[in-house]
Amino acid sequence: MTTVTDGVGGTDGARAAETAETTAATDVTEVTEAEALRDALGVLKDREQVAERLLAASAKHSFDPDRELDWDAPFEPGKWFWPPELVSLYDTPLWRRMSEEQRIALSRHEAAALASLGIWFEIILMQLLVRHIYDKAATSAHVRYALTEIEDECRHSKMFARLITRGGTPYYPVGRAHQTLGRVFKTISTTPGSFTATLLGEEVLDWMQRLTFPDERVQPLVRGVTRIHVVEEARHVRYAREELRRQMMTAPRASREFTRVTSGEFARLFAVAFVNPEVYTNVGLDRREAVAQVRASGHRREVMQTGAQRLTDFLDEIGVLRGVGRRLWRSSGLLA
């Protein structure tokens, strides 16, 4: 994954993200091997101590986007709304025929479509978190951190919605089929399946946003939004990874097998939903031609696989990518 070291918030933003991401990695209570759960990545950390450290990090590195960002500043002429290399049509024959103005317009609409996708996904995530903690002790640090994460996701969804409005583009909801499948998934998902889906939704976008917020070619408002999201999502990723490791060791075998299959199906769903084809129509392109060129694009395939690689490596190590599930992940285009 590309490391970012400057941009809006600059080194401080990157340092905060790194601190949040590693917040549960050290200073945990030592336990004997007989008392510990161990997987291919080593001994699991104490669940409560992980949560306590994440709560402490949240107290230090949480943001109010309404106050942190300058929403009234005009957009800067000639600047992108998403790095051009991450725009879906980049390096296709159609891209080479487009004017610079049209390319930037497409980046504006794709940024809005990704923000719309983020809202949809975070609403699902909040429901999955509520299900996870429903029957757990509300006084535990593990539950208190889940509630803190839900607070973060509420702010993120509002921030994304405000960015879409400020950008002057339409809101890009996922299609009806995806809405229905999302509703089914959040109803039937196992606990490990929920955390696998959480990581899928968070880590690919996180990789893209880590490239976006230090990129001086990109509009300052977009860089500010992605900086906030990167810093706060780092904690969410740590929480989900630690819990998924635990679940893949303690959940019943049937639950783990079901998780492997449903996570592969969710990967296919996510990959299709990642770009809303309406963006092409709204910048004056032929929708069918654009969709066909994105599907045939080696660059786009490499972007998506690179963005997912850190996640797929992790899922492979803890036993999620096996059997039918692995074949489904490969068919999604996210696994090389």
Side-chain angles (χ1 to χ4, degrees):
M1 179 180 294
T2 299
T3 302
V4 294
T5 55
D6 57 8
V8 177
T11 303
D12 290 340
R15 188 180 297 118
E18 183 176 344
T19 299
E21 190 170 8
T22 59
T23 189
T26 57
D27 299 336
V28 297
T29 301
E30 291 186 3
V31 294
T32 66
E33 288 191 17
E35 296 170 323
L37 289 171
R38 180 186 293 272
D39 64 6
L41 299 177
V43 177
L44 260 70
K45 300 170 182 65
D46 178 78
R47 181 192 253 175
E48 283 294 280
Q49 288 226 348
V50 168
E52 290 285 6
R53 288 181 60 79
L54 291 173
L55 285 165
S58 296
K60 293 179 181 178
H61 301 295
S62 292
F63 305 93
D64 179 352
D66 290 335
R67 295 184 179 185
E68 291 280 340
L69 303 174
D70 186 355
W71 294 96
D72 296 322
F75 290 125
E76 298 183 16
K79 287 206 168 182
W80 298 79
F81 291 79
W82 205 239
E85 297 82 6
L86 301 182
V87 176
S88 62
L89 281 170
Y90 182 81
D91 201 31
T92 62
L94 186 54
W95 177 267
R96 290 189 281 272
R97 297 202 307 265
M98 294 165 63
S99 66
E100 187 78 352
E101 181 180 2
Q102 195 174 28
R103 292 172 178 175
I104 291 175
L106 180 59
S107 78
R108 182 196 292 245
H109 283 264
E110 289 203 6
L114 285 172
S116 302
L117 180 68
I119 294 169
W120 173 69
F121 176 76
E122 290 185 340
I123 289 172
I124 292 175
L125 169 59
M126 287 186 274
Q127 294 178 72
L128 294 175
L129 282 171
V130 169
R131 281 182 54 197
H132 172 61
I133 65 175
Y134 174 74
D135 57 357
K136 293 178 174 54
T139 53
S140 69
H142 185 74
V143 169
R144 286 190 292 118
Y145 180 73
L147 294 171
T148 301
E149 182 169 331
I150 291 169
E151 288 182 277
D152 291 345
E153 299 296 16
C154 285
R155 291 195 307 274
H156 295 170
S157 295
K158 292 189 293 181
M159 175 175 69
F160 290 160
R162 190 169 182 181
L163 179 64
I164 295 166
T165 300
R166 180 66 184 84
T169 66
Y171 171 64
Y172 287 98
V174 297
R176 182 169 297 180
H178 285 81
Q179 290 280 5
T180 300
L181 290 169
R183 184 173 285 111
V184 170
F185 173 80
K186 65 185 178 60
T187 302
I188 68 171
S189 176
T190 61
T191 300
S194 296
F195 282 105
T196 303
T198 295
L199 290 169
L200 174 60
E202 290 178 339
E203 294 211 27
V204 178
L205 280 172
D206 179 76
W207 176 80
M208 290 186 171
Q209 289 174 342
R210 286 174 182 266
L211 297 177
T212 300
F213 84 72
D215 193 332
E216 295 184 356
R217 299 171 299 171
V218 176
Q219 295 287 348
L221 179 61
V222 176
R223 295 170 64 197
V225 166
T226 55
R227 176 182 64 88
I228 288 173
H229 200 245
V230 162
V231 171
E232 297 186 341
E233 287 294 311
R235 300 190 292 269
H236 305 176
V237 168
R238 174 59 60 190
Y239 183 78
R241 281 184 170 232
E242 292 293 327
E243 190 58 27
L244 180 56
R245 289 177 63 195
R246 186 179 305 278
Q247 292 293 329
M248 288 302 293
M249 284 187 288
T250 61
R253 179 176 179 179
S255 176
R256 285 178 279 141
E257 290 295 338
F258 188 64
T259 294
R260 293 182 178 111
V261 175
T262 55
S263 71
E265 283 292 353
F266 193 77
R268 284 154 50 101
L269 174 71
F270 179 83
V272 172
F274 206 80
V275 175
N276 191 313
E278 288 297 320
V279 299
Y280 306 126
T281 303
N282 288 338
V283 297
L285 298 174
D286 181 273
R287 174 174 167 168
R288 288 187 178 182
E289 181 184 15
V291 169
Q293 292 200 16
V294 170
R295 288 176 178 169
S297 171
H299 173 81
R300 184 62 178 178
R301 185 163 49 253
E302 181 181 359
V303 164
M304 296 301 292
Q305 289 178 356
T306 303
Q309 184 173 359
R310 184 168 176 261
L311 171 62
T312 54
D313 287 349
F314 169 73
L315 295 179
D316 199 17
E317 287 182 299
I318 65 170
V320 174
L321 300 185
R322 293 181 182 173
V324 174
R326 186 180 189 89
R327 291 194 292 274
L328 291 170
W329 272 87
R330 195 176 298 280
S331 71
S332 75
L334 297 175
L335 180 63

